[in-house]
Amino acid sequence: SSSSERYYSHMDNDSDNDDENARSQFGTKQYWDDGYLGRGDFPAEEYSWYFGWEIIQNYVKEYLPRGNREEDDDDDLHILCPGIGNDRILVDLYRAGYTHLTAFDYSPHAIERQQDLISYELPSSKSRAIELYAMDARKLPDPDWTDRFDAIVEKGALDAIYLSGDGNVERAVENLHRVLK
């Protein structure tokens, strides 16, 4: 099995792809699609939001205590990572003992890159524990995701959503708040 079995798309044809209302190129879906295909400002395989695990790990461990995954996997936190892109945070979180991980990105190409990273870094039995979705933060599944997650680790998705146009970051925050327990 590969992590591709854990990839789901919740993008719809009438998705609010309002690139023409964006405040900058960083707020457009086209910019991110191009970037994750290697046609943008950065190589497709080299990108991480702001800083890596070595900087945030102490904060994550302090604020997100976890159960012992060896003894009781059900006690572990359910963590959501919006706008995952190419970031290694899922691999780092899993290696730190967090086992219930879900991530999504607006760009399906980012999800493909993330699948490649996870498949390369984690054995297939572990990579199946990570759920990946292509979806819009402004339209998270309801009621399936309502009150589903214990924590959200957000490293910059809201910045890009803010740049996508008026009202979008507010809609995304409302959705993220709704899915948080």
Side-chain angles (χ1 to χ4, degrees):
S1 289
S2 73
S3 63
S4 62
E5 296 174 11
R6 306 294 289 182
Y7 162 50
Y8 309 95
S9 179
H10 286 275
M11 300 294 288
D12 53 29
N13 291 335
D14 67 337
S15 181
D16 293 321
N17 186 359
D18 47 4
D19 284 0
E20 65 276 359
N21 297 321
R23 292 180 172 95
S24 89
Q25 68 178 352
F26 302 113
T28 67
K29 184 172 183 303
Q30 186 65 50
Y31 175 83
W32 296 106
D33 283 345
D34 286 350
Y36 294 118
L37 287 171
R39 298 188 306 237
D41 293 340
F42 53 89
E45 59 281 334
E46 296 179 19
Y47 199 73
S48 181
W49 276 113
Y50 303 124
F51 41 81
W53 182 248
E54 64 282 350
I55 303 294
I56 67 167
Q57 68 180 324
N58 291 334
Y59 299 104
V60 169
K61 291 174 183 177
E62 178 180 351
Y63 293 106
L64 301 179
R66 58 178 171 70
N68 183 338
R69 76 173 186 198
E70 303 297 327
E71 294 174 13
D72 189 359
D73 195 40
D74 290 335
D75 284 344
D76 205 8
L77 298 173
H78 291 252
I79 299 173
L80 177 64
C81 298
I84 192 64
N86 283 6
D87 200 291
R88 314 181 29 88
I89 190 72
L90 294 172
V91 171
D92 295 327
L93 284 166
Y94 193 90
R95 286 184 175 157
Y98 301 94
T99 58
H100 296 291
L101 303 171
T102 301
F104 69 87
D105 200 282
Y106 194 43
S107 173
H109 307 297
I111 296 302
E112 292 167 8
R113 311 269 334 134
Q114 193 62 224
Q115 287 174 317
D116 291 345
L117 173 66
I118 291 168
S119 295
Y120 180 76
E121 294 280 339
L122 298 174
S124 64
S125 63
K126 293 179 181 179
S127 67
R128 285 194 309 261
I130 299 172
E131 295 181 21
L132 297 172
Y133 297 88
M135 66 173 56
D136 187 331
R138 300 168 295 177
K139 296 181 176 184
L140 299 179
D142 187 16
D144 297 342
W145 279 26
T146 299
D147 299 323
R148 179 176 171 189
F149 299 98
D150 298 296
I152 297 173
V153 176
E154 196 280 326
K155 289 179 61 185
L158 291 175
D159 291 350
I161 295 168
Y162 170 77
L163 293 172
S164 71
D166 291 339
N168 289 330
V169 75
E170 291 83 0
R171 289 173 52 206
V173 168
E174 287 172 10
N175 271 273
L176 291 171
H177 184 262
R178 177 179 52 79
V179 302
L180 192 59
K181 287 182 185 175

